[in-house]
Amino acid sequence: MGIVVNQAKDTFHLYNEEISYIIGILPNRQLGQLYFGKHIHIQEDYSYFLEMPVRPMSSCVFDTDKKFSMEYIRQEYPVFGTTDYRMPAVEVFQENGSRISDFCFCGYRIEEGKPKLPGLPATYVEEENEAQTLIMELADNVSGMSLELLYTIFSKGGIIARSVRFANKGEQDLHLTSAMSLSLDLPDREYDWIQFSGAWARERYPKERRLEQGIQSVGSMRGNSSHNHNPYVILKRPFTDEFQGEAIGFSLIYSGNFLAQAEVDTFDTTRVLLGIHPFGFDWKLAPGEEFQTPEAVMVYTDQGLNHLSQTYHRLYQKRLARGYWRDRERPILINNWEATYFDFTEEKLVEIARKAKESGVELFVLDDGWFGARSSEHAGLGDWVANPERLENGIKGLSERIEDLGMKFGLWFEPEMVNQDSDLYRKHPDWIIRTPDRKASHGRFQYVLDFSRKEVVDEIYNMMEKILSESKVSYIKWDMNRSITECYSSVLPAQRQGEVYHRYILGVYDLYERLTSRFPKILFESCASGGGRFDPGMLYYAPQCWTSDDSDAVERIKIQYGTSYGYPISSMGTHVSMTPNHQVNRRTPLHTRANVAYFGTFGYELDLNALTREEQEEVKKQITFMKQYGHLFQFGTFYRLKSPFKNNVSAWMVVSEDKKEAVVGWYRVLNGINLPCERLRLQGLDASMAYEINGDGPAHYGDELMYAGLVTTDVSSGQADKPEELSQDFESRLYILKAVKGGRQ
Ligand code: GLA
């Protein structure tokens, strides 16, 4: 890893064994993008990357030259309107009404490691020589705006982390109306764009299309990153697949409004922009003020999409997630939501917990409905004190009873919200986000607290801190069940209303930071009506996230498969729930529900008392299995093998770091008859190790399993001798591979 600066040629080359990223200073002193991709040799001169053919009808920068137009030049952090007509990375609105600026290079610094981003989640380093950061200093002399582009290269992995700092060093008020975290100009458009989109209960389906001239984009203007789109996109070469080929990932460590965009111009170059959505964004910088953008993480690979995902998995697991739970196995939990909804008493909860404890569950989580006047969606949010009618001994008493059973206790909060029917709202009706003189729209009968205001965050912190310090709480599920409308903060001046969405999310991060510092051993799980805020920003504070409100096993295969493109399975909350399933009314076998849920942070979302004795025995075995293999699911390398979006049969697997253990999950939605023979080619094994499968039969070498494949042909195929051997719809299998000593047996 290193950063080579060639002052004579004005180039900066960031490299490690996998990648090179090369920046050049252009003749007009703006920054040009010369190369990003697989590692290339360090050369004296890369000026040939700067192609400038004469283009008729161009607008030109220099008076005596017809060639140099920013319209055709690949840039690092482009502005609009000084001969470039593509969408810019930055726009500064000035006092005279102009939006033109010209950010010229004025210096650079190289720092060991990686600076923190104040108030924002970001990747970090822990050891020496893990990363280096290049900081490019630019200034627009007319407006007085300065900016620094930060590029961090890590010693391992094809990763570049980027962000931008602005400082108003002039004398006039300036407004940032666009401040993207990254801009990357690529020399061609031979890419497929993959986005991760969907809706509530079917989040993060990969959707793919070829780039074409014009703009393709996804984003959120809802205040949360959203179920609809995720702040993560991939550009892959058309022939790239899961196992080979080039791809670049673009991921934003942010939980609010975002834009991810690719613009293909007239000459087939591609500009990628990623950052805070410019729609409605207007950040005032008075003289002396600064602004830091969120961080964006680009990953390049030439080894296919699994490799791309694994690079993000490792980075986000080890250098974005933090704290006590980062490297610890997560407890197996039971959550009462689908078991009781709002209908519970202390006794009922203890009954659920007792049965769960008998089966081996480690953590009992009390979901919505324990506080204030909360007996339905209509009341109580904002009043974070236990409802004595339901919980006569309060959270303190209940948590102690649960601990006496030998389990840990967890609690649900929705800190950002308030119902009108609540003491908090009655006391502070002006604390919600709403525009003066206009109707405030509700979502699930609740309103969004104005977290851009410190006093609001303080009050919620105090309520939460009190209950957490009085009781024995080991886990928090932090929910967020509606998006923002009528965005406006009653305490900000008119000129600063364009800051509210971002200030809101900074308030959310602040509350997370304060709570995680005050209670470092509490495990946080984020949630937003399931996966409405499943983004890297949240992972910095909460290492796991409730993946989706859809707990049906068949639906979950797609949701978890799609989510795995950008996020480690250790970040996905995955539970076994009742059948027929509460969302889609489907009946799936208990083993299939578990076989899907093992690939995540495992738990149950039901009352085990409601199961038959046989099912209860099966649950005990599942928990024993998960206790044995939890470390493998949490810390192993995850591979997608066969997509549920394209096939009736899908599969994935995890392999331990030493390659001596692996678990393959195989899932078939509908049964078939007289089926073709099937093999599944495995990944990531050691070719020369022999593996026993499910503890019996002859062992197979890794090379057989990877190149010839694991034979998965159905034993019954509709022709079994005994009817009970016939497989059914929603069938699944686990293959547990263990290396045997001494090779083939
Ligand atoms: C959201 C969550 C659920 C549950 C309910 C409670 O929908 O995603 O898991 O906590 O809220 O109201």
Side-chain angles (χ1 to χ4, degrees):
M1 172 193 63
I3 299 171
V4 178
V5 180
N6 181 337
Q7 270 166 343
K9 300 289 179 190
D10 281 344
T11 55
F12 301 79
H13 184 164
L14 298 90
Y15 70 92
N16 63 21
E17 279 172 11
E18 294 181 43
I19 50 167
S20 286
Y21 191 98
I22 308 174
I23 302 167
I25 302 172
L26 299 171
N28 65 349
R29 308 297 290 165
Q30 291 190 14
L31 292 186
Q33 154 54 221
L34 298 183
Y35 176 76
F36 176 45
K38 194 172 170 70
H39 172 71
I40 55 174
H41 279 96
I42 294 168
Q43 275 279 33
E44 190 50 30
D45 189 5
Y46 296 108
S47 58
Y48 64 95
F49 283 143
L50 189 66
E51 294 147 287
M52 287 190 283
V54 180
R55 304 257 186 222
M57 292 301 297
S58 296
S59 306
C60 301
V61 172
F62 297 114
D63 295 347
T64 54
D65 172 283
K66 264 183 80 176
K67 277 192 190 162
F68 191 81
S69 172
M70 296 302 276
E71 190 173 357
Y72 313 117
I73 288 179
R74 290 184 294 114
Q75 300 164 53
E76 278 305 311
Y77 205 62
V79 295
F80 175 84
T82 61
T83 74
D84 190 355
Y85 299 99
R86 293 167 289 184
M87 291 298 281
V90 52
E91 188 181 63
V92 182
F93 183 65
Q94 297 146 58
E95 270 182 355
N96 66 1
S98 163
R99 292 169 192 269
I100 296 296
S101 41
D102 178 13
F103 286 102
C104 294
F105 175 80
C106 48
Y108 75 94
R109 305 189 306 278
I110 293 174
E111 289 182 11
E112 285 307 314
K114 185 171 186 294
K116 282 197 164 176
L117 306 192
L120 283 167
T123 57
Y124 58 90
V125 294
E126 272 189 347
E127 286 151 28
E128 265 179 49
N129 304 325
E130 235 185 276
Q132 278 188 322
T133 302
L134 171 67
I135 301 170
M136 301 294 270
E137 301 160 1
L138 309 179
D140 175 47
N141 289 334
V142 175
S143 66
M145 183 73 98
S146 286
L147 66 84
E148 293 184 340
L149 303 177
L150 282 76
Y151 300 83
T152 299
I153 180 140
F154 290 79
S155 59
K156 292 207 183 70
I159 307 161
I160 303 269
R162 294 180 57 177
S163 74
V164 187
R165 280 181 201 153
F166 292 87
N168 182 353
K169 296 189 177 161
E171 271 149 29
Q172 55 171 312
D173 285 350
L174 298 171
H175 287 256
L176 268 175
T177 52
S178 180
M180 303 310 280
S181 298
L182 82 77
S183 176
L184 179 69
D185 287 353
L186 294 162
D188 64 76
R189 67 163 180 88
E190 294 302 310
Y191 290 102
D192 293 332
W193 155 281
I194 310 178
Q195 66 194 52
F196 299 89
S197 300
W200 172 79
R202 52 181 170 81
E203 297 92 342
R204 292 173 297 283
Y205 285 16
K207 314 238 170 186
E208 199 172 310
R209 60 178 175 272
R210 185 63 50 86
L211 285 188
E212 255 309 330
Q213 190 174 341
I215 288 177
Q216 29 263 295
S217 73
V218 290
S220 168
M221 303 190 295
R222 309 176 64 98
N224 54 313
S225 50
S226 88
H227 302 91
N228 315 53
H229 299 294
N230 197 262
Y232 177 52
V233 294
I234 298 172
L235 292 184
K236 72 167 191 67
R237 293 297 188 186
F239 297 106
T240 295
D241 61 26
E242 288 285 8
F243 311 110
Q244 58 82 37
E246 280 193 309
I248 309 175
F250 301 90
S251 168
L252 186 67
I253 303 179
Y254 191 58
S255 311
N257 288 353
F258 76 93
L259 174 71
Q261 173 170 305
E263 176 173 6
V264 177
D265 71 14
T266 324
F267 297 103
D268 286 349
T269 66
T270 300
R271 170 169 296 170
V272 180
L273 295 175
L274 181 64
I276 294 177
H277 204 304
F279 179 82
F281 175 76
D282 181 341
W283 193 278
K284 181 178 164 188
L285 282 181
E289 286 184 344
E290 296 184 357
F291 181 80
Q292 168 70 57
T293 73
E295 177 167 300
V297 177
M298 308 190 297
V299 170
Y300 167 86
T301 182
D302 64 344
Q303 297 167 53
L305 296 177
N306 267 310
H307 187 254
L308 183 80
S309 299
Q310 287 157 4
T311 307
Y312 278 110
H313 295 172
R314 263 192 308 277
L315 182 71
Y316 286 177
Q317 212 173 11
K318 294 285 181 196
R319 292 294 181 264
L320 179 62
R322 300 176 296 169
Y324 183 81
W325 285 101
R326 187 187 73 178
D327 301 328
R328 282 190 167 75
E329 267 184 57
R330 311 285 164 68
I332 295 173
L333 68 80
I334 191 155
N335 178 303
N336 76 308
W337 180 241
E338 289 196 15
T340 66
Y341 296 103
F342 289 114
D343 182 17
F344 60 81
T345 58
E346 183 174 318
E347 285 321 307
K348 195 165 173 183
L349 298 174
V350 172
E351 250 173 66
I352 294 174
R354 189 172 289 129
K355 189 76 200 168
K357 169 65 191 168
E358 257 175 55
S359 312
V361 173
E362 296 157 317
L363 167 70
F364 172 81
V365 179
L366 171 54
D367 209 280
D368 195 356
W370 57 268
F371 48 88
R374 185 80 165 169
S375 53
S376 75
E377 294 175 343
H378 291 268
L381 285 174
D383 297 340
W384 301 110
V385 284
N387 177 350
E389 282 169 30
R390 289 182 162 195
L391 303 175
E392 48 273 29
N393 303 301
I395 290 298
K396 181 174 186 299
L398 176 62
S399 63
E400 284 168 3
R401 281 184 79 180
I402 300 292
E403 288 230 336
D404 287 346
L405 292 176
M407 298 175 94
K408 295 287 177 195
F409 177 78
L411 197 55
W412 182 96
F413 286 94
E414 196 177 356
E416 299 151 72
M417 300 292 158
V418 68
N419 286 114
Q420 281 190 348
D421 185 358
S422 69
D423 292 342
L424 185 73
Y425 185 85
R426 281 183 282 274
K427 198 163 148 209
H428 297 291
D430 59 324
W431 274 14
I432 64 168
I433 289 189
R434 69 176 302 172
T435 301
D437 308 323
R438 298 194 184 274
K439 182 178 163 298
S441 309
H442 76 91
R444 211 193 188 198
F445 310 108
Q446 65 196 47
Y447 298 85
V448 185
L449 286 169
D450 185 354
F451 263 41
S452 73
R453 295 170 65 173
K454 187 165 177 310
E455 68 274 27
V456 177
V457 177
D458 285 348
E459 173 88 12
I460 300 296
Y461 173 81
N462 290 337
M463 278 192 261
M464 291 178 76
E465 201 271 346
K466 182 163 190 301
I467 202 152
L468 296 174
S469 50
E470 283 171 0
S471 320
K472 297 196 157 148
V473 179
S474 304
Y475 161 106
I476 288 176
K477 176 173 170 188
W478 178 321
D479 210 339
M480 198 283 300
N481 283 311
R482 66 157 291 189
S483 298
I484 293 173
T485 52
E486 294 89 25
C487 186
Y488 190 95
S489 173
S490 56
V491 292
L492 284 177
Q495 283 185 329
R496 288 197 180 270
Q497 290 301 326
E499 301 175 14
V500 180
Y501 280 113
H502 183 60
R503 284 185 183 273
Y504 172 83
I505 215 73
L506 292 178
V508 172
Y509 290 151
D510 178 40
L511 183 58
Y512 257 117
E513 189 67 44
R514 284 152 76 176
L515 288 169
T516 49
S517 321
R518 169 75 178 81
F519 302 100
K521 288 198 177 160
I522 292 185
L523 171 61
F524 281 73
E525 176 153 350
S526 70
C527 174
S529 303
R533 206 159 62 180
F534 199 122
D535 57 60
M538 284 291 122
L539 291 185
Y540 186 67
Y541 306 98
Q544 58 192 61
C545 175
W546 181 228
T547 316
S548 175
D549 272 347
D550 195 335
S551 63
D552 173 72
V554 175
E555 300 294 311
R556 273 303 190 102
I557 299 170
K558 286 187 175 170
I559 296 167
Q560 292 169 212
Y561 202 94
T563 305
S564 79
Y565 281 88
Y567 305 93
I569 61 169
S570 61
S571 66
M572 296 182 210
T574 51
H575 301 170
V576 172
S577 63
M578 276 312 263
T579 198
N581 174 266
H582 292 191
Q583 291 80 41
V584 294
N585 209 17
R586 183 180 285 135
R587 287 171 195 275
T588 53
L590 182 54
H591 69 268
T592 290
R593 282 174 270 154
N595 287 347
V596 176
Y598 291 140
F599 289 81
T601 59
F602 186 70
Y604 291 84
E605 190 91 10
L606 44 71
D607 179 357
L608 292 172
N609 292 299
L611 301 186
T612 63
R613 181 150 301 166
E614 292 76 53
E615 287 172 325
Q616 290 175 356
E617 288 309 309
E618 197 177 331
V619 165
K620 281 188 190 158
K621 287 191 190 135
Q622 292 171 352
I623 293 172
T624 309
F625 169 80
M626 199 53 186
K627 285 184 179 165
Q628 192 181 345
Y629 290 96
H631 66 281
L632 176 55
F633 289 105
Q634 193 175 328
F635 305 114
T637 305
F638 178 80
Y639 290 86
R640 291 176 299 273
L641 299 177
K642 222 171 167 196
S643 170
F645 296 97
K646 294 182 184 147
N647 307 288
N648 186 40
V649 170
S650 57
W652 54 39
M653 70 186 287
V654 279
V655 186
S656 64
E657 210 183 328
D658 62 8
K659 303 193 179 205
K660 288 187 176 157
E661 277 186 324
V663 179
V664 180
W666 176 98
Y667 311 93
R668 181 171 59 206
V669 179
L670 292 182
N671 198 11
I673 186 153
N674 203 11
L675 297 168
C677 295
E678 266 187 48
R679 286 183 200 184
L680 185 64
R681 283 159 60 120
L682 304 186
Q683 292 284 323
L685 302 175
D686 184 327
S688 59
M689 273 187 205
Y691 296 88
E692 199 172 65
I693 299 171
N694 290 342
D696 55 32
H700 298 281
Y701 281 103
D703 53 10
E704 295 172 58
L705 294 166
M706 290 192 290
Y707 309 127
L710 171 75
V711 175
T712 59
T713 305
D714 204 322
V715 283
S716 73
S717 293
Q719 301 293 316
D721 295 338
K722 297 184 215 137
E724 61 273 19
E725 280 179 6
L726 277 177
S727 57
Q728 41 182 319
D729 289 345
F730 319 127
E731 194 44 88
S732 70
R733 296 177 210 149
L734 285 191
Y735 296 93
I736 297 155
L737 278 60
K738 280 197 176 156
V740 290
K741 288 199 187 90
R744 188 188 282 277
Q745 289 188 323

